[in-house]
Amino acid sequence: MVLMGALRAALRPRQMDTQVRVARERYRMIVESAIDYAIFTCGLDGRITSWNAGAQAILGYAPEDIVGEPCARVFMADDIVAHVPETEMRAARDGISVRAERWHHRRDGTRFWSSGRMLALRDSQGQVIGYLKILYDRSVEKDARDALEALNAELEDRVTERTLALAAANEKLRAEILERERVGDQIRQSQKMEVIGQLTGGIAHDFNNLLTAILGALEVTRRRIDDTRNLRLIDSAINAAQRGAKLIAQLVAFARKQNLQVAYLSVNTLVEDMRELLERSAGSSVSVVFDLADDLWPVMADASQMQTGLLNLAFNARDAMPNGGTLRIGSANIHVEMAESDLTVGDYVTLLVQDNGTGMPKDVQARLFEPFFTTKDVGKGTGLGLAQVYGFVRQSGGTVRVDSAVGEGTTITILLPRSADIEGDGERVIAPG
Ligand code: ADP
Ligand code: MG
C-alpha cells in the first residue's frame, strides 16, 4: 500500500492509469497461472468474490458456479463458526498472515487436506473489506502421514502383544525347567536314599547278630561273676552293647528292615499323650504350641515308632533354637492331587513340627535323612533321628517333607496315608518290603 501511494504521487494521472492497468494484468496472470494453488477472496459477508483456475482445479467449482456463494461451501461441516475460527479472522484483520491446515470439501463431495494462508483485504483507507485465501492441496501427504501413524500405532500394538506373548511363554518355560529340576532332584534324592538303605540294611543285620552274640555272652559271664569290681565292668559293657542295639534299631528303621506293629492310630491322641513330655524336653526358653485339627482321620502306624520319631523332631527343633523360640506341633487332613516320586494321589494325615530356629542351608537339607549325618558335636548327635523317622514313615506308605530357610526356621511334615477302614481289630504287621 505504501509503495502504491508513492507510485501514485510520482506519476501523472494518465501514466498512472496505464501503470496500474499493467500491474493489475500482471497480478491477474500470476494468480491465474498458479494452478497448484486455490486462490480466492471473499467479502465480509462471507460470500466468494473471486476464484482462480487453481481453485477450480483443486475444488472442482468453476468461477461462475461459486462466485457469490457462501465461502462455507468449501469448508468441512465439522469446522467451526463460519468455518474459519474467529481467532484466525482476528489475526488476519490485525495484519497477520494466518497459516492453517484443515479439511475442505471438493465439489464432488470428496475431501482434501489443505495447508493454506489467509490475509485480510483492505481498501485504500486500510479498512478490511474481505479476505484472501490461498490453499495448497496436501491430501496425499496427509493420507500418507495418517497411514504411517496408523501403521506405527498398529505396529506398536503388535509389538506390545508379541512382547506380552513372549514374556508369558518365557515364564512358562522357566516354570517347566524349575519343575523338571525339582522332580529330577526328588528322584535323585530317593534313589540315593534307596542305595544307602540297602547298604545300611546289610550292615545293621550283621551288627545286630554280633551284638546279640556279645550281649548273650556278657549275660552268661555276669551270672558267673560275684566280685563287685568285675560286675561293674560287665554292667558297663552290657550298657554299651544295649546303647549299640538302640542305634542299630534306628538303622534298621531307616533301612525298612523291621517289622512294624501297625494299628489304627489317632495322631492327635498320640500327641496329647506326649504333651507333657514334649513340653518338658523343649526346655523353659521354648514355648510349645499345639495346633491339632478337629476330626482328624485315623492312620495305620506303629505307635512306638511315631513316639520316637516325634520326640526326635522336637529335640531337633529345640536344638535349633538355642536362644529360645516357638515349637509348633500341628496335625491336619490333606488331599494330595498330583502324584510325586514318593507319594501317590490320595488322602493323608499330616503331623508337622515347626520351629523358628536357625534353619538349614540347602546342602544340609539334601543330606538330612542320611544315617549318621549330623552337624552336632560329638556325643550330642548320632545323625540317626531323621533316618529313623524317614525309614518308618516310608515303610508305612507315607513320606516326610522339609521346608527350611536359614535364619527363619524349619518345618518337618510327616505324611501318613489316611486309613480306609476303622472296622475289625485293626492290628497288623508291616513286614520289611
Ligand atoms: P542329630 O539330631 O543326631 O544330628 P538328626 O537325623 O535328627 O540327627 O538330624 C540331622 C541333622 O539335621 C542335624 O544334625 C541338623 O543339622 C539338621 N536338623 C534336623 N532338624 C533340624 C531343625 N529343626 N533345624 C535345623 N537343623 C535341623
Ligand atoms: Mg536328632
Side-chain angles (χ1 to χ4, degrees), residues 250 312-321 353-355 357-361 364-365 367-377 380-389 402 404 409-412:
Q250 282 179 297
N312 185 59
L313 294 180
F315 283 150
N316 284 348
R318 178 205 59 197
D319 292 347
M321 299 184 286
V353 177
Q354 188 175 57
D355 65 66
T358 55
M360 285 176 261
V364 170
Q365 286 183 45
R367 303 191 54 196
L368 200 61
F369 298 126
E370 285 176 25
F372 304 116
F373 175 78
T374 180
T375 58
K376 294 171 191 173
D377 292 341
K380 294 218 166 131
T382 58
L384 288 174
L386 284 169
Q388 177 263 335
V389 171
V402 182
S404 185
T410 301
T411 305
I412 308 273

Side-chain angles (χ1 to χ4, degrees), residues 187-261:
I187 291 171
R188 270 192 297 282
Q189 179 72 8
S190 58
Q191 282 170 346
K192 184 180 81 181
M193 297 311 269
E194 220 46 58
V195 171
I196 300 178
Q198 281 167 15
L199 275 172
T200 316
I203 296 167
H205 181 75
D206 290 349
F207 263 87
N208 225 3
N209 291 342
L210 290 173
L211 273 175
T212 313
I214 291 168
L215 269 168
L218 284 171
E219 301 285 358
V220 173
T221 317
R222 193 183 191 283
R223 264 181 258 135
R224 292 183 187 165
I225 290 172
D226 39 22
D227 76 291
T228 8
R229 260 194 67 195
N230 280 330
L231 260 180
R232 228 185 292 138
L233 276 176
I234 293 286
D235 278 344
S236 77
I238 289 176
N239 216 323
Q242 279 167 344
R243 279 217 315 274
K246 249 193 208 160
L247 292 185
I248 295 294
Q250 282 179 297
L251 274 183
V252 166
F254 172 73
R256 300 174 224 165
K257 289 279 190 253
Q258 65 191 340
N259 283 338
L260 290 178
Q261 304 293 324

Side-chain angles (χ1 to χ4, degrees), residues 315-332:
F315 283 150
N316 284 348
R318 178 205 59 197
D319 292 347
M321 299 184 286
N323 303 318
T326 305
L327 164 62
R328 201 167 77 89
I329 296 174
S331 63

